[in-house]
Short mmCIF file of all heavy atoms in Angstrom, two decimals:
data_model
loop_
_atom_site.label_atom_id
_atom_site.label_comp_id
_atom_site.label_asym_id
_atom_site.label_seq_id
_atom_site.Cartn_x
_atom_site.Cartn_y
_atom_site.Cartn_z
N GLU A 361 118.69 87.96 -37.06
CA GLU A 361 117.69 88.21 -36.08
C GLU A 361 116.31 87.59 -36.44
O GLU A 361 115.74 86.84 -35.66
CB GLU A 361 117.42 89.72 -35.85
CG GLU A 361 118.44 90.33 -34.92
CD GLU A 361 118.05 91.74 -34.53
OE1 GLU A 361 116.98 92.24 -34.84
OE2 GLU A 361 118.88 92.39 -33.82
N GLU A 362 115.85 87.84 -37.65
CA GLU A 362 114.56 87.34 -38.08
C GLU A 362 114.59 85.78 -38.19
O GLU A 362 113.62 85.07 -37.90
CB GLU A 362 114.12 87.96 -39.35
CG GLU A 362 113.77 89.47 -39.16
CD GLU A 362 113.40 90.21 -40.40
OE1 GLU A 362 113.05 89.58 -41.39
OE2 GLU A 362 113.57 91.44 -40.39
N GLY A 363 115.74 85.27 -38.65
CA GLY A 363 115.85 83.81 -38.78
C GLY A 363 115.95 83.11 -37.41
O GLY A 363 115.65 81.93 -37.26
N THR A 364 116.42 83.86 -36.41
CA THR A 364 116.56 83.35 -35.07
C THR A 364 115.23 83.41 -34.33
O THR A 364 114.85 82.54 -33.56
CB THR A 364 117.63 84.09 -34.30
OG1 THR A 364 118.93 83.87 -34.94
CG2 THR A 364 117.72 83.67 -32.84
N ARG A 365 114.47 84.45 -34.59
CA ARG A 365 113.17 84.75 -33.87
C ARG A 365 111.99 84.22 -34.67
O ARG A 365 110.92 84.91 -34.67
CB ARG A 365 113.06 86.23 -33.58
CG ARG A 365 114.09 86.71 -32.65
CD ARG A 365 113.82 88.16 -32.29
NE ARG A 365 114.57 88.59 -31.08
CZ ARG A 365 115.12 89.72 -30.88
NH1 ARG A 365 115.00 90.64 -31.78
NH2 ARG A 365 115.69 89.93 -29.74
N LEU A 366 112.09 83.07 -35.26
CA LEU A 366 111.00 82.55 -36.07
C LEU A 366 109.64 82.43 -35.31
O LEU A 366 108.62 82.73 -35.88
CB LEU A 366 111.37 81.19 -36.69
CG LEU A 366 112.52 81.16 -37.70
CD1 LEU A 366 112.84 79.77 -38.11
CD2 LEU A 366 112.14 82.05 -38.91
N ALA A 367 109.80 82.03 -34.11
CA ALA A 367 108.56 81.87 -33.27
C ALA A 367 107.95 83.21 -32.89
O ALA A 367 106.74 83.24 -32.54
CB ALA A 367 108.84 81.05 -32.05
N ASP A 368 108.67 84.30 -33.04
CA ASP A 368 108.17 85.58 -32.62
C ASP A 368 107.49 86.37 -33.73
O ASP A 368 106.89 87.39 -33.55
CB ASP A 368 109.33 86.46 -32.12
CG ASP A 368 110.04 85.93 -30.90
OD1 ASP A 368 109.44 85.07 -30.23
OD2 ASP A 368 111.18 86.32 -30.58
N ALA A 369 107.64 85.83 -34.96
CA ALA A 369 107.08 86.57 -36.14
C ALA A 369 106.31 85.61 -37.04
O ALA A 369 106.88 84.63 -37.52
CB ALA A 369 108.22 87.27 -36.92
N HIS A 370 105.11 85.90 -37.28
CA HIS A 370 104.28 85.01 -38.11
C HIS A 370 104.85 84.88 -39.51
O HIS A 370 104.59 83.90 -40.19
CB HIS A 370 102.84 85.50 -38.14
CG HIS A 370 102.68 86.75 -38.91
ND1 HIS A 370 102.98 87.96 -38.45
CD2 HIS A 370 102.17 86.92 -40.15
CE1 HIS A 370 102.70 88.94 -39.32
NE2 HIS A 370 102.19 88.34 -40.41
N GLN A 371 105.59 85.87 -39.98
CA GLN A 371 106.08 85.82 -41.36
C GLN A 371 107.47 85.27 -41.47
O GLN A 371 107.99 85.13 -42.56
CB GLN A 371 106.04 87.21 -42.00
CG GLN A 371 106.98 88.20 -41.26
CD GLN A 371 106.84 89.63 -41.76
OE1 GLN A 371 105.87 89.93 -42.40
NE2 GLN A 371 107.78 90.41 -41.52
N GLY A 372 108.12 84.99 -40.36
CA GLY A 372 109.53 84.54 -40.46
C GLY A 372 110.39 85.63 -40.88
O GLY A 372 110.38 86.75 -40.37
N VAL A 373 111.17 85.45 -41.92
CA VAL A 373 112.04 86.50 -42.50
C VAL A 373 111.20 87.39 -43.40
O VAL A 373 110.51 86.86 -44.29
CB VAL A 373 113.23 85.88 -43.25
CG1 VAL A 373 114.02 86.94 -43.95
CG2 VAL A 373 114.11 85.07 -42.29
N SER A 374 111.16 88.67 -43.17
CA SER A 374 110.38 89.59 -43.95
C SER A 374 110.85 89.71 -45.39
O SER A 374 111.99 89.53 -45.67
CB SER A 374 110.37 90.97 -43.26
OG SER A 374 111.62 91.57 -43.39
N ASP A 375 109.88 90.12 -46.23
CA ASP A 375 110.23 90.36 -47.61
C ASP A 375 111.21 91.52 -47.71
O ASP A 375 112.15 91.54 -48.58
CB ASP A 375 108.99 90.65 -48.46
CG ASP A 375 108.08 89.49 -48.65
OD1 ASP A 375 108.59 88.32 -48.46
OD2 ASP A 375 106.88 89.65 -48.91
N GLU A 376 111.12 92.53 -46.84
CA GLU A 376 112.01 93.66 -46.85
C GLU A 376 113.44 93.25 -46.55
O GLU A 376 114.45 93.60 -47.25
CB GLU A 376 111.56 94.72 -45.84
CG GLU A 376 112.48 95.89 -45.75
CD GLU A 376 112.06 96.90 -44.62
OE1 GLU A 376 110.84 96.97 -44.32
OE2 GLU A 376 112.95 97.57 -44.07
N THR A 377 113.60 92.36 -45.54
CA THR A 377 114.96 91.89 -45.20
C THR A 377 115.51 91.04 -46.29
O THR A 377 116.64 91.17 -46.70
CB THR A 377 114.91 91.10 -43.89
OG1 THR A 377 114.60 91.99 -42.77
CG2 THR A 377 116.22 90.41 -43.60
N TRP A 378 114.67 90.17 -46.88
CA TRP A 378 115.09 89.29 -47.98
C TRP A 378 115.59 90.14 -49.17
O TRP A 378 116.56 89.89 -49.81
CB TRP A 378 114.05 88.31 -48.38
CG TRP A 378 114.59 87.29 -49.30
CD1 TRP A 378 114.38 87.15 -50.66
CD2 TRP A 378 115.50 86.26 -48.97
NE1 TRP A 378 115.09 86.11 -51.12
CE2 TRP A 378 115.80 85.55 -50.16
CE3 TRP A 378 116.16 85.87 -47.75
CZ2 TRP A 378 116.66 84.45 -50.17
CZ3 TRP A 378 116.99 84.77 -47.80
CH2 TRP A 378 117.28 84.09 -49.03
N ALA A 379 114.85 91.23 -49.46
CA ALA A 379 115.18 92.12 -50.58
C ALA A 379 116.57 92.78 -50.32
O ALA A 379 117.38 92.86 -51.23
CB ALA A 379 114.12 93.14 -50.80
N GLN A 380 116.78 93.14 -49.11
CA GLN A 380 118.10 93.75 -48.72
C GLN A 380 119.22 92.73 -48.89
O GLN A 380 120.35 93.02 -49.35
CB GLN A 380 118.05 94.37 -47.33
CG GLN A 380 117.31 95.64 -47.25
CD GLN A 380 117.84 96.70 -48.12
OE1 GLN A 380 119.02 97.01 -48.08
NE2 GLN A 380 117.01 97.27 -49.00
N VAL A 381 118.95 91.48 -48.42
CA VAL A 381 119.99 90.42 -48.60
C VAL A 381 120.27 90.22 -50.06
O VAL A 381 121.46 90.15 -50.47
CB VAL A 381 119.44 89.10 -47.91
CG1 VAL A 381 120.28 87.92 -48.31
CG2 VAL A 381 119.41 89.30 -46.38
N ARG A 382 119.22 90.12 -50.92
CA ARG A 382 119.40 89.92 -52.36
C ARG A 382 120.16 91.04 -53.03
O ARG A 382 120.89 90.88 -53.91
CB ARG A 382 118.07 89.75 -53.03
CG ARG A 382 117.29 88.47 -52.69
CD ARG A 382 117.94 87.18 -53.10
NE ARG A 382 118.14 87.05 -54.50
CZ ARG A 382 118.89 86.10 -55.06
NH1 ARG A 382 119.55 85.25 -54.30
NH2 ARG A 382 119.01 85.98 -56.34
N LYS A 383 119.96 92.29 -52.46
CA LYS A 383 120.62 93.45 -53.02
C LYS A 383 122.13 93.40 -52.81
O LYS A 383 122.93 93.81 -53.63
CB LYS A 383 120.01 94.70 -52.38
CG LYS A 383 120.71 96.00 -52.75
CD LYS A 383 120.01 97.14 -52.06
CE LYS A 383 120.78 98.45 -52.31
NZ LYS A 383 120.20 99.57 -51.59
N HIS A 384 122.52 92.90 -51.66
CA HIS A 384 123.94 92.98 -51.26
C HIS A 384 124.81 91.70 -51.40
O HIS A 384 126.03 91.81 -51.36
CB HIS A 384 123.99 93.41 -49.79
CG HIS A 384 123.51 94.80 -49.55
ND1 HIS A 384 124.19 95.94 -49.93
CD2 HIS A 384 122.32 95.25 -49.08
CE1 HIS A 384 123.50 97.01 -49.72
NE2 HIS A 384 122.39 96.64 -49.12
N TYR A 385 124.16 90.59 -51.66
CA TYR A 385 124.91 89.33 -51.64
C TYR A 385 124.55 88.47 -52.88
O TYR A 385 123.41 88.52 -53.35
CB TYR A 385 124.61 88.47 -50.39
CG TYR A 385 125.05 89.21 -49.13
CD1 TYR A 385 124.14 89.90 -48.36
CD2 TYR A 385 126.37 89.22 -48.77
CE1 TYR A 385 124.52 90.56 -47.22
CE2 TYR A 385 126.79 89.91 -47.61
CZ TYR A 385 125.86 90.62 -46.85
OH TYR A 385 126.26 91.24 -45.71
#
Side-chain angles (χ1 to χ4, degrees):
E361 280 191 2
E362 291 175 23
T364 296
R365 293 185 163 144
L366 292 176
D368 297 341
H370 70 283
Q371 65 185 17
V373 174
S374 69
D375 290 339
E376 178 183 332
T377 293
W378 190 253
Q380 287 300 306
V381 166
R382 293 297 297 167
K383 176 180 174 183
H384 294 287
Y385 297 101

